[in-house]
Amino acid sequence: MQRLRIKHLTEYLFPTQVTLNQHRLLLRPREGHDVRIESSKLEITPAYNIQWQRDVFDNSLAIVNFLERSNKLTIASEVMIQHYDQAPYDFMVEHYAVRYPFAYALDEQVDLAAFQQPIFYKDQYIVNSWLQLLGLNGMETFGLLMKLNQMISQQFRYQIREEAGVQSPSQTLSQRSGSCRDYATLLIEACRCLGLASRFVSGYLHAPATEAGNATTHAWVEVYLPGTGWKGFDPTSGEVTGNRHIAVAVARNPEAVPPVSGSFIGLGLIAPKMVVDVQVNLLA
């Protein structure tokens, strides 16, 4: 087990007072047998009301309504967690799913169907053409997923993108580059072309760079494997996810789970100044 502290600050500075509309926050890690939250603190200004919910994917969602106008919005989250997932390769796949292709069990097909449907329908031909070049039929299912995961990591050029949203798979394939969100989106669409249920994961990554103050939010993919459940694959690093990955939210659509989303009224075409600071540190 390891203990981690996650600090996530989002701040908007406006040149004049504005009216802040409702904001939605996905900042609290997903708890389970592998992750436990020791403590959680959320500080927000200006004055507000907050309501906590579980969304359709069981993410911990905070709905914030503001009570006054302001020229500054600050959302500061600090969470201490215990992470127990230290053996990411210690799992078994059901015998019928060991080799690709396979069909999910009948009693799971209805629940998984939504995670097998592509988001970028117009890109299906391009993604399928890319997959056909790889010769994946007859491979072990886990080996197939690792091959896709590592190919994206090794053959594409990583770049940080500040723009909201994700690139389409066709953009990432043509440019051979993208952010972690773009890599995850491509891997999800590739898995769905192959009939494998997959979902987008938004969260944090602990790495040497995060200890040096260079942390950011991170994104990866979970694929449903019979016998083990949702298994994480990180196409940015090419590795199976473990206790360095801290999941906050999962979604069918890669664009559905930004950490902070909302709007304001009052500045016309003037853009506010935004500051985001993320720290992920290992504790003794």
Side-chain angles (χ1 to χ4, degrees), residues 5 70-71 73 81 98 112 137 156 171 181 199 230 233 250 256 260 264 274 281:
R5 179 176 57 222
S70 179
N71 61 357
L73 168 61
I81 68 166
V98 168
L112 295 174
N137 279 340
F156 291 67
Q171 286 178 289
R181 292 168 288 148
R199 64 187 186 183
W230 293 101
F233 296 85
V250 300
V260 176
F264 63 90
M274 182 178 72
N281 299 106

Side-chain angles (χ1 to χ4, degrees), residues 5-10 26-27 158-162 178-181 201-220 234 236 244-248 259 274-281:
R5 179 176 57 222
I6 305 155
K7 292 184 176 182
H8 188 149
L9 170 69
T10 302
L26 288 164
L27 297 169
Y158 177 78
Q159 63 176 13
I160 297 173
R161 289 196 310 105
E162 301 296 339
S179 68
C180 60
R181 292 168 288 148
V201 187
S202 174
Y204 304 101
L205 176 69
H206 176 255
T210 69
E211 292 285 352
N214 297 318
T216 63
T217 56
H218 194 52
W220 59 95
D234 183 352
T236 301
R244 300 196 310 120
H245 294 77
I246 305 107
V248 171
M274 182 178 72
V275 176
V276 177
D277 181 37
V278 178
Q279 300 177 33
V280 182
N281 299 106

